[in-house]
Amino acid sequence: MSFDRGHTDDLMSFLAASPTPYHAVANAAGRLEKAGFRQVAETDAWEGGSGGRYVLRGGALIAWYVPEGAAPHTPFRIVGAHTDSPNLRVKPRPDTGGHGFRQVAVEIYGGPLMNSWLDRDLGLAGRLSLRDGSTRLVDVHRPLLRVPQLAIHLDRAVSSDGLKLDKQRHLQPVWGLGDDIRDGDLIAFLEQEADLSPGSVTGWDLMTYVVEPPAYLGRAEELLAGPRMDNLLSVHAGTAALAAVATGGAEPPYVPVLAAFDHEETGSQSDTGADGPLLGTVLERSVLARGGSYEDRARAFAGTVCLSSDTGHAVHPNYAERHDPTHHPRVNGGPILKVNVNNRYATDGTGRAVFAAACERAGVPFQTFVSNNSMPCGTTIGPITAARHGIRTVDIGAAILSMHSARELCGADDPFLLANALVAFLEG
């Protein structure tokens, strides 16, 4: 198939505009609205007609398209992904510092490669909660903070013993100079940045991010370097696929769904995480809104399949021994099917057949990933989704390097290949 770098260009714009889960779902929602979707409030009664709808809750988005004439028991085809990435997040009392430096107190979110956050120009973004009960997104998209590394002259052993970072002492970024540190300085600064009146912010969910934009890399620009590919690459592909199916002209035999969850990096146990009730509630309400019963809901769920799309590990040329010797996924080789017999991934043989059929229809090659037996295997929202909702789930994704780094690396063609496979899956 011919490769469309326009999709990868669009991914780069999406990554740059989505420094936090809140920005990511807002941007995904905007793209779906251009495809005819409309937002519905969880507190309102839902109508059962055809068309595209979506729910936003915090850093999570559930979107679905009801084909014309879809019966209440029509099964769903779900693309699952997550919106969060490991990073440094602002503490409740953020103003700190010493020795003439102003600093921001941060907590480690998820499992970042901490060394990748050193000596990077960082912006600050997130969600501000206001006194009147509303929220406001904020994004200081310029070099504002930095975590300076200790000079080698003061740590001679770093070359022989390796870099050792204390999460509490060594990762607090600087953002200015001064000794007169006062509680409220950072939030007052953000109120000015967001054009809010002083004292209007009473809560915040803020995080740092690398302001360096995504970029093509390599002799023929065959690679893509950028932040938060784990897992906004899948969120972007799922959004593009759902919009394409909804506007493609032919009505699919299933109800296609995009489920983009928050908090996967910390276990998914929240009201916006995959281990919460959000997805099940939305799917069930969709069935009931179309006049369905509990029996219809059970029938729909029994025929449902979910592709849990999350980035996976491409073979690393400098550490090939860390991979299974017979499973070496390569970048630009197409999406990977993730398998683990201990259910760290949800894929089984029947799920493999579903994904293989979608890739065949799309003309997309795919690869298989299995962990080295001597190393622990990661996990995804896949097993959680399968167990919580009783629906067949398959774990897939794009192969990348530098996972959990502040900047990750993938093949420039793989986002397009993944999106095409997802379109074929949602079309059924």
Side-chain angles (χ1 to χ4, degrees):
M1 66 186 303
S2 60
F3 295 106
D4 181 4
R5 285 290 173 87
H7 178 88
T8 304
D9 291 342
D10 190 63
L11 169 62
M12 295 166 72
S13 297
F14 185 79
L15 292 173
S18 304
T20 76
Y22 314 111
H23 291 81
V25 297
N27 289 324
R31 290 159 184 256
L32 291 173
E33 288 197 354
K34 291 180 180 178
F37 285 71
R38 60 183 178 85
Q39 184 176 2
V40 294
E42 294 183 79
T43 53
D44 290 345
W46 290 2
E47 299 174 355
S50 61
R53 300 169 178 82
Y54 69 89
V55 167
L56 283 181
R57 183 193 290 184
L61 176 146
I62 311 293
W64 66 102
Y65 176 77
V66 179
E68 188 71 38
H73 61 268
T74 301
F76 300 94
R77 281 282 174 107
I78 305 169
V79 172
H82 68 88
T83 62
D84 59 320
S85 301
N87 57 16
L88 311 179
R89 302 203 172 187
V90 175
K91 289 184 175 180
R93 295 188 63 184
D95 298 291
T96 186
H99 309 285
F101 285 99
R102 293 181 181 273
Q103 293 176 272
V104 175
V106 296
E107 190 173 2
I108 312 303
Y109 179 83
L113 287 171
M114 293 187 295
N115 63 291
S116 70
W117 288 84
L118 301 178
D119 295 328
R120 296 272 192 179
D121 295 337
L122 305 177
L124 187 64
R127 179 179 63 177
L128 301 175
S129 298
L130 308 185
R131 192 174 299 278
D132 63 6
S134 64
T135 59
R136 178 79 64 86
L137 296 185
V138 64
D139 181 9
V140 185
H141 186 69
R142 64 179 186 270
L144 179 69
L145 309 101
R146 188 178 179 94
V147 182
Q149 187 170 348
L150 185 64
I152 192 171
H153 313 79
L154 304 177
D155 187 15
R156 295 289 185 182
V158 69
S159 296
S160 57
D161 298 342
L163 180 64
K164 298 177 182 179
L165 295 173
D166 182 282
K167 294 180 180 180
Q168 178 63 36
R169 294 185 294 123
H170 298 154
L171 291 171
Q172 309 306 312
V174 299
W175 74 299
L177 300 175
D179 291 310
D180 56 335
I181 298 166
R182 297 181 299 272
D183 283 343
D185 280 353
L186 180 67
I187 300 306
F189 165 78
L190 293 175
E191 286 173 337
Q192 289 182 323
E193 289 287 318
D195 198 24
L196 296 169
S197 58
S200 59
V201 173
T202 56
W204 51 89
D205 302 280
L206 299 166
M207 54 204 76
T208 64
Y209 70 96
V210 175
V211 297
E212 183 182 357
Y216 287 109
L217 183 124
R219 183 180 61 180
E221 296 190 336
E222 63 265 59
L223 298 168
L224 174 66
R228 300 177 295 282
M229 291 185 191
D230 178 16
N231 186 33
L232 295 188
L233 189 158
S234 294
V235 174
H236 176 263
T239 302
L242 181 59
V245 172
T247 58
E251 295 286 59
Y254 304 99
V255 176
V257 179
L258 170 65
F261 299 103
D262 202 352
H263 302 131
E264 188 272 348
E265 299 292 356
T266 56
S268 296
Q269 293 185 322
S270 70
D271 69 318
T272 54
D275 204 19
L278 180 59
L279 175 61
T281 299
V282 169
L283 298 184
E284 185 170 358
R285 290 186 67 178
S286 175
V287 170
L288 298 177
R290 283 176 277 137
S293 62
Y294 179 82
E295 182 73 8
D296 291 313
R297 181 254 189 218
R299 293 174 65 188
F301 276 44
T304 292
V305 182
C306 173
L307 289 188
S308 165
S309 182
D310 201 348
T311 53
H313 303 295
V315 62
H316 196 301
N318 297 337
Y319 300 92
E321 74 280 358
R322 303 294 181 98
H323 299 262
D324 182 88
T326 60
H327 295 80
H328 279 180
R330 296 189 175 193
V331 297
N332 285 338
I336 57 174
L337 181 76
K338 303 179 183 181
V339 179
N340 180 265
V341 295
N342 294 300
N343 289 326
R344 298 292 287 172
Y345 302 130
T347 306
D348 63 9
T350 61
R352 185 189 192 280
V354 171
F355 184 61
C359 289
E360 183 177 354
R361 285 196 300 274
V364 169
F366 74 92
Q367 311 174 83
T368 304
F369 172 83
V370 179
S371 287
N372 186 307
N373 287 340
S374 300
M375 305 188 70
C377 179
T379 190
T380 68
I381 65 168
I384 294 172
T385 303
R388 182 168 185 83
H389 305 294
I391 58 180
R392 190 190 330 174
T393 304
V394 188
D395 272 297
I396 67 159
I400 71 171
L401 296 179
S402 304
M403 187 182 294
H404 286 201
S405 173
R407 282 178 71 83
E408 297 161 326
L409 188 69
C410 77
D413 294 327
D414 279 332
F416 177 69
L417 294 172
L418 175 63
N420 277 270
L422 296 183
V423 170
F425 167 74
L426 292 178
E427 286 178 338

